[in-house]
Amino acid sequence: MSDDRSAVSISRVFFGLVVVAIGVLFTLDNLGVVAAREVLRFWPVIFIAIGATSLSDARRTGRHVSGLIWIFVGVWLLLHEFHFVRFQPWDLWPLLLVFIGVSILWRA
């Protein structure tokens, strides 16, 4: 029970910090100190942070997998944001069929 409460508490703290950071960013943008659009290009780092937090708190294999998925999504979106990846993630949807087929074969 305490693990559930600490996870909720950590997620609330993280969300609160994100809201505060966005507020400070827009305030600095209004004052002409920082260009918010340039800083907001790094928004996928939030997914990487969620994945890293999930990995560091993981006690089960499922949490490791979900943490790695969050990190993969964050890295993918960051690379796409900076035009290192030229295709959309949806272009890879047939890989879902490959994973389903491999899963079926693995169980057989």
Side-chain angles (χ1 to χ4, degrees):
M1 182 77 172
S2 65
D3 287 338
D4 293 336
R5 286 186 182 176
S6 65
V8 170
S9 176
I10 290 171
S11 64
R12 285 185 181 175
V13 168
F14 181 74
F15 182 70
L17 287 173
V18 168
V19 171
V20 168
I22 291 171
V24 168
L25 176 67
F26 284 123
T27 301
L28 292 174
D29 184 55
N30 287 342
L31 296 174
V33 176
V34 178
R37 286 195 185 269
E38 292 301 316
V39 175
L40 288 177
R41 291 181 67 189
F42 292 96
W43 69 269
V45 172
I46 293 171
F47 292 126
I48 297 170
I50 290 170
T53 302
S54 181
L55 277 178
S56 69
D57 292 341
R59 292 188 180 18
R60 297 184 321 242
T61 304
R63 297 278 291 172
H64 287 104
V65 171
S66 68
L68 290 173
I69 290 171
W70 280 111
I71 290 172
F72 175 77
V73 168
V75 168
W76 180 279
L77 291 171
L78 196 60
L79 290 174
H80 185 32
E81 184 71 30
F82 288 100
H83 307 290
F84 289 115
V85 176
R86 301 278 185 222
F87 51 92
Q88 298 290 329
W90 304 116
D91 293 339
L92 300 176
W93 74 266
L95 286 178
L96 179 63
L97 296 175
V98 172
F99 289 128
I100 290 171
V102 168
S103 174
I104 291 169
L105 291 173
W106 187 264
R107 290 183 204 159

